Amino acid sequence: MIAEQIHIGIVGFGPKGFYGLERLLAFLNKKTEIPKIQIHLFNKTDAFATGWVYDCNQPDFLVMNYPNQYISLKPHTNPPPVCDLLPFTKWRAQRSKNSEEFEETQIAPRNEVGCYLTSYFEKLVANTKPQITIHKHITTVMGIKHEGSRFKLQTKDIGFQSPYFNSLLLTTGHSPSITGRLENAKKNDCTIPFVYPFSETMKHIGAQEIVSCKGIGLTAIDTILALTEGRSGYFNGSSVSGLAYCKSGLEPKLILPFSRSGIPGIPRGSNTVMLKQTSFYLKRFVENLPKSSAKFDFEKDILPVIKQDIVAAFYHSLFKRCNFNFEPDADFKNLQKAIDRFHEKNSELKRFSADDLLFSILNTKKNQHQAVKTYWKFWLNENKKEASPYVAAAAAWRFLAEDFKYLYRNNLLTEASKIRFQQHYFGVFNRISYGPPEINIHKMIALMDAEILDFSFAKSPKITMHSKQLETDAVTQKVHFQHYVDARLPRGHNKKKSGMYSNGNGLFSFENQSDNLGEIRCTQEGNPINIKGNSIQKIVLYGTPTEGTLFDNDTLSRKHNDTATQWAKDTVAQLQDTKMAYSYYEK
């Protein structure tokens, strides 16, 4: 007997893959009659729904960088899910027996978010219709072959016989970029090109060795904690009284983080969740754009407006604290006049500039190491204040990002300035507005006090790999290291080493960032654009692979740049197409 079966694939099954499956099952659940459907989930590891970021087996000291109240699996569109999906705070409150109000403000370990994802993935699978079969494949997809209106997948698993797929959702996250970095790494080198999972990548780093660490962002903080708290060291005290680090003797002798700017991320305090947007200059700029608009240069045309909102956020907060009368909806020229009047009355207060925030210059009169500590202590102190103007200014980008996304996804930036934004300003705004939780910065300061963490080489040191040496001109310091750790998440795709994206019969094309790196070209809906300039309708990119077109792909967000909902809707709509090709298998 011959049975008609439809095959649908989701390649990369972290949170974004989970969201795609959830929407697909929800749309299928609306149908009274469906054919036999085989849904294939492809993931490099057995961490389905979590990926390596939220792996349930990672240690508790790896925490989220925002409070629990922002985490929810609930979809923002209809149809409803096939099972009830509780917000994370409610789910966690049921487990911890704490109140939901308490849990909203807490910052959870990433492994617990992984348990949340896993539990609901299992519930979704358990609530599927009997006509639907879900297959989990632990393998890497190496290529996609286009055959007519369908696709076949090539995987590392030589035993996998690919069916003909009618629809594909590609949610591969950073994996292709990571693969390219790993392949470029020299064998038998001292370099660790990617840090996750720590138990594997850094197990050969010996106790009391010296580790240089490229990056001082969120991934670098994870790395530093893995090499200290993850090696049986522990912290005493509290973030109020100050933490002290107790050595285990298993950690490195020195960890030397560095970056291009040498400026670390701004810690986010619990009071930031209370902030509201008060300035709307960029929003008005976007709303007043003509239907057909010329492309903008980011630095000349857009950045000045962003700076206006940052300045306004600072002074709106400062004015309120000082009971100074002002008009919050005033245009920027009138706001500047109000600022002038304010400083005439308060001449002892330093005038604020957006450049003070965006392009901070650390006070390195003593040394770079002390300057980093001073910088962090300043922001920790500001976070304690009920309405800090500095905290309001640092949070401004989080409100502006939605309007900037409109410019980005509608291709309203010149190609050159878009690349400039990706390579420089993306990191600047992340450092300012999406920094680490306060507790992690208290830990960093404790490690500095314990003389394990050293920022003396933090700003663009000279690196000599053959002699394993860092050097800084600041005070002519040199140090030799045993290990060179790249503690950054890779961005962009290596056009020659991006797995299935570089091996797809011309299905994918790239916007060039450099000779080797590029972003995958796609439509606003996530359809890849092939080498002939045509969009591939039955393949949709979701999350990180869309970053050439869609900005700010928060891993856990269900709303930002959601290409999965329309993919699921279109995939299910195809079931009604009598011309749809089926693959045939004998029972």
Side-chain angles (χ1 to χ4, degrees):
M1 180 179 178
I2 303 298
E4 293 178 338
Q5 299 190 65
I6 294 170
H7 293 265
I8 301 167
I10 300 177
V11 181
F13 203 76
K16 294 296 191 191
F18 172 93
Y19 298 161
L21 176 67
E22 186 281 314
R23 287 292 78 198
L24 179 63
L25 295 177
F27 278 105
L28 288 171
N29 199 48
K30 284 180 62 181
K31 297 292 181 183
T32 54
E33 292 185 13
I34 60 172
K36 292 182 179 179
I37 296 174
Q38 310 286 325
I39 302 174
H40 299 260
L41 313 178
F42 296 85
N43 206 50
K44 290 178 69 173
T45 72
D46 62 357
F48 283 84
T50 68
W52 52 264
V53 179
Y54 304 104
D55 193 321
C56 299
N57 297 314
Q58 63 190 307
D60 289 345
F61 60 76
L62 298 177
V63 298
M64 300 296 296
N65 67 321
Y66 47 78
N68 297 342
Q69 64 181 285
Y70 293 115
I71 304 169
S72 179
L73 298 181
K74 186 177 179 181
H76 64 99
T77 57
N78 285 320
V82 297
C83 63
D84 192 20
L85 301 175
L86 296 179
F88 182 62
T89 51
K90 191 168 186 176
W91 177 87
R92 196 171 188 228
Q94 289 181 355
R95 285 161 56 98
S96 67
K97 307 304 180 185
N98 294 320
S99 69
E100 289 181 43
E101 292 75 18
F102 172 81
E103 289 293 352
E104 279 189 349
T105 61
Q106 300 304 296
I107 294 176
R110 293 209 296 264
N111 58 26
E112 192 155 358
V113 177
C115 292
Y116 171 63
L117 288 160
T118 300
S119 67
Y120 281 115
F121 170 53
E122 292 171 353
K123 285 187 179 180
L124 284 181
V125 172
N127 281 275
T128 56
K129 289 187 172 184
Q131 302 96 314
I132 300 170
T133 304
I134 297 176
H135 306 272
K136 296 196 293 185
H137 304 280
I138 302 174
T139 187
T140 299
V141 176
M142 301 301 295
I144 304 175
K145 188 177 181 181
H146 199 176
E147 295 192 9
S149 62
R150 295 175 298 166
F151 310 91
K152 276 196 166 186
L153 300 183
Q154 173 194 354
T155 74
K156 276 190 174 181
D157 179 3
I158 58 175
F160 174 72
Q161 297 296 314
S162 177
Y164 286 100
F165 286 94
N166 300 91
S167 179
L168 293 172
L169 181 68
L170 310 182
T171 72
T172 50
H174 293 278
S175 293
S177 306
I178 294 165
T179 299
R181 185 189 283 181
L182 292 173
E183 289 179 359
N184 283 335
K186 296 178 181 178
K187 292 182 180 179
N188 301 318
D189 193 2
C190 66
T191 301
I192 297 173
F194 186 66
V195 296
Y196 301 101
F198 298 120
S199 58
E200 292 298 318
T201 63
M202 297 195 294
K203 62 185 178 183
H204 62 286
I205 295 178
Q208 300 306 300
E209 291 186 320
I210 296 176
V211 178
S212 62
C213 178
K214 187 174 186 178
I216 53 178
L218 298 175
T219 302
I221 289 174
D222 279 359
T223 304
I224 293 162
L225 291 175
L227 289 170
T228 52
E229 194 170 5
R231 292 191 167 194
S232 301
Y234 62 96
F235 295 92
N236 265 335
S238 69
S239 58
V240 177
S241 61
L243 294 178
Y245 179 72
C246 300
K247 297 179 182 180
S248 68
L250 302 175
E251 58 273 289
K253 179 181 180 181
L254 282 177
I255 303 173
L256 306 165
F258 63 89
S259 70
R260 184 170 48 192
S261 70
I263 302 172
I266 293 174
R268 278 205 275 180
S270 58
N271 58 355
T272 59
V273 302
M274 307 300 294
L275 293 173
K276 304 292 182 185
Q277 185 173 6
T278 63
S279 176
F280 304 93
Y281 296 120
L282 182 63
K283 181 174 287 295
R284 290 170 188 160
F285 176 89
V286 170
E287 288 175 348
N288 293 326
L289 287 176
K291 289 186 177 179
S292 57
S293 177
K295 292 189 178 184
F296 299 101
D297 180 276
F298 175 77
E299 290 179 307
K300 282 177 55 180
D301 304 317
I302 307 303
L303 184 59
V305 185
I306 291 172
K307 288 182 178 181
Q308 289 178 1
D309 276 312
I310 291 172
V311 168
F314 179 93
Y315 278 102
H316 287 176
S317 180
L318 182 60
F319 289 167
K320 287 179 181 177
R321 285 184 61 187
C322 296
N323 296 316
F324 180 81
N325 290 327
F326 71 104
E327 176 52 59
D329 291 327
D331 62 34
F332 192 68
K333 286 185 179 178
N334 284 322
L335 176 62
Q336 285 180 310
K337 291 177 182 178
I339 292 170
D340 291 339
R341 292 196 305 272
F342 176 82
H343 281 288
E344 286 174 5
K345 292 183 177 181
N346 301 275
S347 57
E348 74 283 1
L349 296 179
K350 181 184 175 183
R351 184 179 288 263
F352 173 80
S353 163
D355 286 351
D356 297 339
L357 181 69
L358 296 174
F359 313 112
S360 302
I361 299 174
L362 301 189
N363 183 358
T364 57
K365 287 182 180 179
K366 290 185 177 180
N367 55 57
Q368 177 76 25
H369 178 75
Q370 185 60 42
V372 169
K373 183 187 288 188
T374 301
Y375 182 79
W376 269 337
K377 285 189 172 182
F378 168 82
W379 283 103
L380 289 171
N381 185 57
E382 288 299 314
N383 279 333
K384 293 177 184 177
K385 299 176 182 177
E386 189 172 335
S388 164
Y390 288 97
V391 171
W397 174 251
R398 296 204 290 275
F399 301 116
L400 304 178
E402 196 62 41
D403 296 301
F404 179 74
K405 285 178 202 173
Y406 176 86
L407 300 172
Y408 196 93
R409 70 173 177 264
N410 285 285
N411 202 25
L412 291 173
L413 299 179
T414 64
E415 186 171 344
S417 71
K418 190 174 185 179
I419 292 171
R420 175 71 173 152
F421 174 83
Q422 290 168 337
Q423 294 180 342
H424 182 66
Y425 290 95
F426 180 87
V428 170
F429 288 122
N430 275 353
R431 173 176 61 79
I432 290 168
S433 294
Y434 303 111
E438 286 181 298
I439 183 60
N440 278 353
I441 299 308
H442 286 292
K443 289 181 177 181
M444 293 302 104
I445 291 174
L447 289 169
M448 294 170 81
D449 291 339
E451 299 183 346
I452 293 172
L453 187 58
D454 189 340
F455 284 92
S456 298
F457 299 85
K459 184 176 181 181
S460 299
K462 180 182 176 182
I463 305 162
T464 310
M465 292 303 294
H466 74 270
S467 59
K468 300 180 182 177
Q469 178 176 281
L470 294 183
E471 181 178 351
T472 176
D473 293 332
V475 287
T476 320
Q477 283 183 290
K478 296 180 182 180
V479 66
H480 291 275
F481 55 83
Q482 282 78 48
H483 302 278
Y484 181 90
V485 177
D486 195 333
R488 304 170 302 158
L489 285 183
R491 293 185 54 77
H493 290 73
N494 185 311
K495 290 175 282 187
K496 296 179 180 178
K497 297 179 179 179
S498 288
M500 66 182 179
Y501 296 114
S502 54
N503 184 23
N505 289 347
L507 286 172
F508 305 98
S509 60
F510 295 86
E511 287 186 0
N512 294 335
Q513 290 181 314
S514 66
D515 291 340
N516 294 321
L517 292 179
E519 294 285 3
I520 302 168
R521 296 174 67 216
C522 69
T523 66
Q524 290 185 30
E525 295 73 31
N527 302 112
I529 297 172
N530 67 14
I531 57 174
K532 294 181 179 180
N534 301 319
S535 61
I536 308 299
Q537 292 302 305
K538 293 183 180 180
I539 298 179
V540 169
L541 310 177
Y542 184 27
T544 303
T546 68
E547 287 187 345
T549 301
L550 302 175
F551 168 70
D552 191 20
N553 291 291
D554 183 339
T555 308
L556 286 181
S557 174
R558 295 219 58 172
K559 187 175 181 181
H560 291 175
N561 301 331
D562 173 19
T563 58
T565 296
Q566 191 62 44
W567 166 79
K569 184 177 181 180
D570 291 345
T571 297
V572 173
Q574 291 174 21
L575 302 180
Q576 307 304 313
D577 187 351
T578 56
K579 296 180 181 179
M580 186 176 189
Y582 296 98
S583 53
Y584 294 91
Y585 289 80
E586 290 188 9
K587 271 191 175 180

